[in-house]
């Protein structure tokens, strides 16, 4: 429903006095009447919030009319695109947290038949079973095209399928909610050597095909799409990621980076390497080599990359991530399973340096991003040509997710720009919040 329709509904439901309503809002009655009739837009989100307050709407009802206002303002396509990207961020933040063991799902091939499968459990059972079957093929290859609604299936498979089996994944962003409400379409598809499975966004229904002609037709169509895109995810070693990041910086014009906690390598000096050596656990793979990589990357960052690109390279981090580091001593780009928490003295040193870094660089900003966990070790980089995600886990495994289709890159850029516009703190407030964390550490010392 549009904002005008929702307002009409609640006004009638609550038998609202229009004169008093207009006076509360600080606008004349004729203006309010035009907004309710849909003849003119609401002037601001603040005005819509005041409407909700006067009408005594619940939190869910308030969210509903604010979303309606945003749709009226920016259009349904952009609104739902941003919503889907936020859902993607939630899943990508936990890309290596899934622990579904696909290999345990292997069954007799004869049990799968061409049919309509109904119910989330049955649909996801088919998806995992198809992965299992494909592992037994001589030349395995899984092709998937899916919207970023239920990315856990993709991320589960990424963690557990054989490293030798490629998984080619395309995804698209759709602004239509009708597809999932009535299950009229099957917009997602998994293609293996012998099967095609199409399924709904909410995983409530799917159709399995075994006929070779159908399977081959889907493969041809998918490969045609793939000519305009690239493989979605790859694996990497944790000990190589700094070198890989430096290579990425050297070959792309990076404009934005999103993370949760402050990034220590951006403020490191030679004297700080002892902090890393002290914090890293003894079983950390190639410990000294990794510390040397940190030193090389810090030198590269401080003396080559950032001096040249500080005017266009925006770093966005979160308040909950900053507080997490101050409270626990864990850092954004270091998995807690591999490192001991920093001592209070080391926390104070690094966060103090981070404050100076943020104060002297206007393109470093703090923003609210509740869909990213405070302990996240996933970070996101955006260039003019690609959107790049690096997620790590305790085993030294990295998931590198690269999106290079230009319209999707533009969609992510729009999303991040909107986050900064709506949720970024002012520099003054940012400094106050960092000072609060510094004082919290001092009290614990």
């Amino acid at each position: 429903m549009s904002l005008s329709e929702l307002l009409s509904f609640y006004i009638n439901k609550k038998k609202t006095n229009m004169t008093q309503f207009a006076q509360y809002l600080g606008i004349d009655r004729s203006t309010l009447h035009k907004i309710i009739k849909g003849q003119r837009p609401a002037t601001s989100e603040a005005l819509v919030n005041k409407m909700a307050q006067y009408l005594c709407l619940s939190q869910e009802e308030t969210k509903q009319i604010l979303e309606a206002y945003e749709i009226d303002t920016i259009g349904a396509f952009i609104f739902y695109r941003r919503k889907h990207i936020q859902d993607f961020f939630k899943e990508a933040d936990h890309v290596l947290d899934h622990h579904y063991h696909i290999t345990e799902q292997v069954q007799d091939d004869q049990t799968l038949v061409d049919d309509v499968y109904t119910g989330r459990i049955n649909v996801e059972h088919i998806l995992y079973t198809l992965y299992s079957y494909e592992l037994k093929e001589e030349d395995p290859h899984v092709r998937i095209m899916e919207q970023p609604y239920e990315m856990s299936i993709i991320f589960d498979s990424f963690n557990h399928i054989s490293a030798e089996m490629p998984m080619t994944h395309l995804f698209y962003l759709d602004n239509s909610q009708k597809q999932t409400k009535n299950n009229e379409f099957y917009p997602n598809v998994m293609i293996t050597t012998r099967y095609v499975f199409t399924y709904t966004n909410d995983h409530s229904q799917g159709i399995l095909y075994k006929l070779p002609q159908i399977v081959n037709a889907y493969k041809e169509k998918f490969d045609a799409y793939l000519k305009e895109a690239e493989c979605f995810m790859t694996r990497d070693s944790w000990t190589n990621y700094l070198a890989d990041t430096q290579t990425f910086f050297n070959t792309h014009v990076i404009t934005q980076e999103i993370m949760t906690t402050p990034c220590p390598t951006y403020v490191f000096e030679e004297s700080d390497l002892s902090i890393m050596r002290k914090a890293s656990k003894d079983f950390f793979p190639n410990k000294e080599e990794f510390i040397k990589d940190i030193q090389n990357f810090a030198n590269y960052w401080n003396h080559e990359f950032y001096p040249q690109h500080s005017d266009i390279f925006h770093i966005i981090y979160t308040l909950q991530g900053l507080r997490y580091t101050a409270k626990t001593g864990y850092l954004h780009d270091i998995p807690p399973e591999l490192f001991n928490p920093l001592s209070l003295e080391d926390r104070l040193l690094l966060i103090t340096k981070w404050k100076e870094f943020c104060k002297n660089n206007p393109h470093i900003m703090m923003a609210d991003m509740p869909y990213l966990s405070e302990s996240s070790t996933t970070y996101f980089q955006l260039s003019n040509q690609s959107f790049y995600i690096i997620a790590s886990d305790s085993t030294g495994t990295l998931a590198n997710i690269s999106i290079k289709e230009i319209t999707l890159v533009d969609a992510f850029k729009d999303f991040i720009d909107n986050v900064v516009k709506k949720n970024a703190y002012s520099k003054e407030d940012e400094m106050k919040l960092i000072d609060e964390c510094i004082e919290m550490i001092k009290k614990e010392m």
Side-chain angles (χ1 to χ4, degrees), residues 89-90 93-94 97 259-261 318 320-321 324 332 369-378:
F89 267 79
K90 290 180 183 178
D93 190 29
H94 301 280
D97 292 347
M259 53 194 182
T260 49
T261 67
T318 69
Q320 71 264 27
Y324 177 79
H332 156 77
M369 290 178 281
Y371 36 87
L372 295 181
S373 64
E374 62 179 12
S375 58
S376 171
T377 54
T378 301

Side-chain angles (χ1 to χ4, degrees), residues 191-204:
I191 309 166
T192 64
T193 299
R194 303 174 191 273
Y195 298 94
V196 166
F197 188 59
T198 62
Y199 51 99
T200 56
N201 291 326
D202 59 3
H203 294 190
S204 65

Side-chain angles (χ1 to χ4, degrees), residues 63-99:
K63 178 182 176 183
Q64 188 180 25
I65 70 165
L66 286 172
E67 287 186 350
Y69 163 74
E70 191 167 1
I71 290 172
D72 287 351
T73 304
I74 64 176
F77 178 81
I78 295 177
F79 174 82
Y80 285 113
R81 185 178 69 180
R82 288 175 180 172
K83 187 174 185 295
H84 297 165
I85 289 177
Q86 181 169 306
D87 292 340
F88 173 82
F89 267 79
K90 290 180 183 178
E91 290 289 353
D93 190 29
H94 301 280
V95 58
L96 294 176
D97 292 347
H98 302 285
H99 300 290

Side-chain angles (χ1 to χ4, degrees), residues 152-371:
S152 59
I153 294 288
I154 307 300
F155 295 148
D156 281 345
S157 63
F158 179 79
N159 293 332
H160 297 287
I161 62 176
S162 168
E164 287 73 40
M165 183 171 78
M167 181 181 69
T168 307
H169 178 246
L170 303 174
F171 80 87
Y172 61 99
L173 300 172
D174 173 52
N175 68 308
S176 171
Q177 299 298 289
K178 294 180 180 179
Q179 288 187 333
T180 56
K181 283 183 178 178
N182 301 317
N183 295 329
E184 295 173 351
F185 303 100
Y186 295 81
N188 307 310
V189 59
M190 174 190 286
I191 309 166
T192 64
T193 299
R194 303 174 191 273
Y195 298 94
V196 166
F197 188 59
T198 62
Y199 51 99
T200 56
N201 291 326
D202 59 3
H203 294 190
S204 65
Q205 200 167 44
I207 303 177
L208 183 70
Y209 302 94
K210 294 173 65 175
L211 192 66
Q213 295 93 318
I214 295 179
V215 175
N216 290 333
Y218 268 93
K219 287 179 182 177
E220 290 178 6
K221 189 68 173 178
F222 185 95
D223 290 343
Y225 287 139
L226 190 59
K227 291 179 180 179
E228 302 178 14
E230 294 191 23
C231 193
F232 181 57
M233 289 194 289
T234 57
R235 290 177 174 83
D236 199 359
S237 166
W238 173 256
T239 53
N240 294 332
Y241 98 103
L242 286 172
D244 293 341
T245 301
Q246 183 171 332
T247 299
F248 186 71
F249 279 7
N250 278 330
T251 55
H252 296 74
V253 180
I254 308 299
T255 57
Q256 289 163 316
E257 181 169 271
I258 293 179
M259 53 194 182
T260 49
T261 67
C263 184
T265 50
Y266 291 170
V267 295
F268 263 179
E269 298 174 323
E270 292 286 336
S271 58
D272 299 323
L273 292 175
S274 60
I275 296 176
M276 301 303 296
R277 184 173 285 106
K278 181 170 54 175
S280 58
K281 293 182 178 179
D282 291 338
F283 61 81
F284 186 94
N286 302 319
K287 176 177 176 178
E288 289 302 319
E289 181 180 344
F290 178 72
I291 292 172
K292 182 178 179 181
D293 286 342
I294 289 180
Q295 179 180 3
N296 292 336
F297 183 80
N299 288 334
Y300 162 77
W301 166 266
N302 290 320
H303 302 296
E304 295 183 41
F305 176 79
Y306 198 66
Q308 296 181 24
H309 302 288
S310 60
D311 58 333
I312 62 171
F313 185 68
H314 293 208
I315 297 175
I316 306 166
Y317 68 107
T318 69
L319 174 60
Q320 71 264 27
L322 173 70
R323 288 173 172 166
Y324 177 79
T325 294
K327 183 178 179 180
T328 68
Y330 287 117
L331 296 167
H332 156 77
D333 50 358
I334 302 171
E337 293 85 355
L338 295 176
F339 278 74
N340 299 308
L342 300 181
S343 67
L344 290 168
E345 291 79 7
D346 290 339
R347 288 179 226 174
L348 179 62
L349 174 64
L350 288 178
I351 292 181
T352 301
K353 285 188 175 184
W354 183 259
K355 176 187 174 182
E356 291 304 307
F357 179 56
C358 294
K359 183 168 65 174
N360 297 327
N361 296 278
H363 302 310
I364 315 302
M365 63 198 73
M366 179 191 295
D368 282 326
M369 290 178 281
Y371 36 87

Side-chain angles (χ1 to χ4, degrees), residues 404-419:
K404 297 185 179 180
E405 202 281 314
I406 192 61
T407 58
L408 292 179
V409 173
D410 288 342
F412 278 100
K413 183 179 186 304
D414 166 75
F415 176 82
I416 296 172
D417 288 345
N418 188 57
V419 167

